[in-house]
Amino acid sequence: MSLRTAALSVTLLLLVLSEVWAQNPRKRMAPPKPPKAQCCDEVRSLKVQVANLTSLLEELNRKQETDMMNVVRQMMELDKQNRQQEARVTEAESKYSEINNRVEIMQLQASQSVTQSSSDAIYDCASLYNKNYKISGEYKLPADEFLGTPELDVFCDMESNGGGWTLIQRRKVGLTSFNRDWKQYKNGFGTIRGDFWLGNDNLFRMTRQPSTLRIEMEDWEGETRYAEYSYFTVKNELNSFKLLIANYSGNAGDSLRYHNNTNFSTKGKDNDKCVDDCASLRKGGYWYNCCTDSNLNGVFYRYGNHGKNTDGITWYGWHGPNYSLKRVEMKIRPQNFKS
Ligand SMILES: [Ca+2]
């Protein structure tokens, strides 16, 4: 090869090489990515983002749910507190009226122990009425050493027919049994705001002053009747708490007259005027004759059962021997009471 030919060859080679070199950098600068791969990357990253957002959302949802539950729980708690508050207010209100009575009676006792004059003494609801206590309700009569009477819870009716009445008996709830023995009838039983018998000893003590008896009744149809005896006395225990009544007035019928001048009988103490044991037949304590024209301490029968028995709370002059009354109140006050 000649020198000239060699030089030409080199030049050619260089040319070709330069051509190749010139092309290569262009190819490197813009490597043509396949469009499919680019899309998948984006989708993948979007998917990741979506997954992240989803879990975030779920977390938020969960949080919201717990928040919601907390709010509901708090609302329920508040509601409960509210109801408790209301109940407390109602209770307080009822207690207030009760306490009010008691406070007044305590003030009364205090003022009485200062004055100590017999005309101021409190024997019953009529004395309270005369001292201007004109609201019906529960009162506590103070003990009286001179008379030898103990402190006594009473219920005063300050409205019926002029007021001043001391309740000696009530039937209205029906949960207290009146089928009791001599001692229980002697001392009294039941609750003063519900069903009770004030006690034969108390009847004897309170009717030593000439007294009036008033009996109020209600039937299951809601009708009311009354019977009043302007003369009413109960003898002491030695005389078997004998009943003496007279001078009936009213619209219920004179169904206590048959029991006038009879002794008191109870379960286990048959003082009646009958071969039968009236107290066990009529299931109460009462001034049984042979046996009844009324049975105000009989068995309390509810509506539906009130017309089937002969031992119910009966007043023959109104509803006969087989109708047990819904409600009864027996009350007394001094004959000379003026409202
Ligand atoms: Ca008998």
Side-chain angles (χ1 to χ4, degrees):
M1 188 186 307
S2 70
L3 195 68
R4 212 179 140 176
T5 321
L8 197 72
S9 298
V10 167
T11 311
L12 269 170
L13 185 70
L14 280 171
L15 261 170
V16 169
L17 277 173
S18 76
E19 189 71 9
V20 169
W21 277 93
Q23 271 177 16
N24 271 352
R26 208 166 49 225
K27 276 182 193 162
R28 256 195 229 137
M29 266 169 66
K33 272 193 182 167
K36 204 180 162 194
Q38 193 182 6
C39 132
C40 286
D41 277 351
E42 276 169 18
V43 166
R44 216 173 292 129
S45 94
L46 276 172
K47 271 186 181 167
V48 169
Q49 281 179 34
V50 165
N52 283 343
L53 280 171
T54 307
S55 75
L56 204 76
L57 250 174
E58 275 171 7
E59 199 183 316
L60 272 171
N61 271 345
R62 245 177 283 126
K63 200 170 173 297
Q64 209 173 20
E65 236 167 71
T66 24
D67 283 354
M68 195 64 196
M69 273 161 68
N70 279 338
V71 166
V72 168
R73 212 173 291 140
Q74 278 171 20
M75 274 168 66
M76 280 166 70
E77 182 63 27
L78 277 172
D79 192 44
K80 193 176 141 199
Q81 282 174 5
N82 206 25
R83 263 179 286 129
Q84 282 173 345
Q85 204 76 23
E86 268 172 32
R88 263 186 229 124
V89 168
T90 316
E91 200 191 331
E93 275 173 354
S94 75
K95 271 203 181 133
Y96 173 75
S97 60
E98 206 171 309
I99 284 166
N100 216 20
N101 275 350
R102 283 173 192 272
V103 166
E104 284 184 357
I105 204 77
M106 279 197 285
Q107 287 168 344
L108 196 70
Q109 278 173 278
S111 69
Q112 203 202 348
S113 60
V114 173
T115 52
Q116 278 293 351
S117 98
S118 62
S119 65
D120 280 345
I122 296 159
Y123 306 111
D124 54 19
C125 295
S127 353
L128 285 170
Y129 188 95
N130 290 331
K131 291 186 181 300
N132 251 348
Y133 293 88
K134 296 186 175 171
I135 297 167
S136 295
E138 191 183 347
Y139 289 87
K140 197 179 273 297
L141 300 180
D144 191 311
E145 273 179 46
F146 180 72
L147 293 171
T149 55
E151 197 177 72
L152 183 64
D153 283 322
V154 291
F155 196 96
C156 300
D157 174 354
M158 302 304 205
E159 287 143 50
S160 299
N161 195 20
W165 300 99
T166 306
L167 265 72
I168 62 168
Q169 184 255 31
R170 177 163 47 210
R171 311 297 301 272
K172 68 168 184 182
V173 183
L175 298 175
T176 305
S177 169
F178 275 60
N179 193 10
R180 306 212 180 206
D181 64 20
W182 183 261
K183 200 176 163 195
Q184 284 174 301
Y185 269 98
K186 170 185 155 83
N187 297 322
F189 57 83
T191 47
I192 214 74
R193 286 178 170 270
D195 296 8
F196 68 92
W197 181 253
L198 193 62
N200 290 337
D201 268 344
N202 292 317
L203 290 190
F204 160 65
R205 268 200 298 267
M206 293 176 112
T207 60
R208 276 185 299 191
Q209 58 179 335
S211 298
T212 298
L213 169 71
R214 182 179 170 90
I215 303 165
E216 290 168 359
M217 300 162 239
E218 185 184 341
D219 67 13
W220 291 94
E221 284 70 44
E223 282 217 33
T224 56
R225 298 281 172 96
Y226 77 98
E228 223 176 273
Y229 296 85
S230 69
Y231 179 81
F232 170 67
T233 296
V234 173
K235 301 251 186 183
N236 64 12
E237 189 176 14
L238 280 174
N239 291 292
S240 301
F241 299 117
K242 180 181 274 191
L243 171 73
L244 296 169
I245 45 134
N247 302 333
Y248 162 84
S249 64
N251 58 9
D254 185 2
S255 290
L256 204 55
R257 182 211 288 262
Y258 179 65
H259 301 266
N260 185 32
N261 205 26
T262 60
N263 296 328
F264 202 86
S265 292
T266 64
K267 182 163 78 175
K269 197 105 174 174
D270 181 356
N271 292 326
D272 59 38
K273 297 175 176 172
C274 211
V275 182
D276 292 325
D277 180 354
C278 292
S280 66
L281 282 175
R282 299 287 188 258
K283 299 196 181 71
Y286 206 55
W287 300 279
Y288 289 116
N289 187 330
C290 187
C291 285
T292 40
D293 197 35
S294 62
N295 190 37
L296 298 180
N297 290 336
V299 180
F300 188 100
Y301 287 106
R302 291 184 191 282
Y303 185 70
N305 283 322
H306 67 292
K308 298 174 182 167
N309 301 281
T310 53
D311 53 10
I313 304 167
T314 52
W315 189 267
Y316 292 17
W318 185 17
H319 274 300
N322 296 309
Y323 187 105
S324 187
L325 297 166
K326 183 189 177 189
R327 186 183 169 102
V328 174
E329 281 181 2
M330 300 173 75
K331 46 196 83 173
I332 59 171
R333 75 181 176 196
Q335 269 177 11
N336 62 6
F337 176 80
K338 284 183 189 72
S339 60

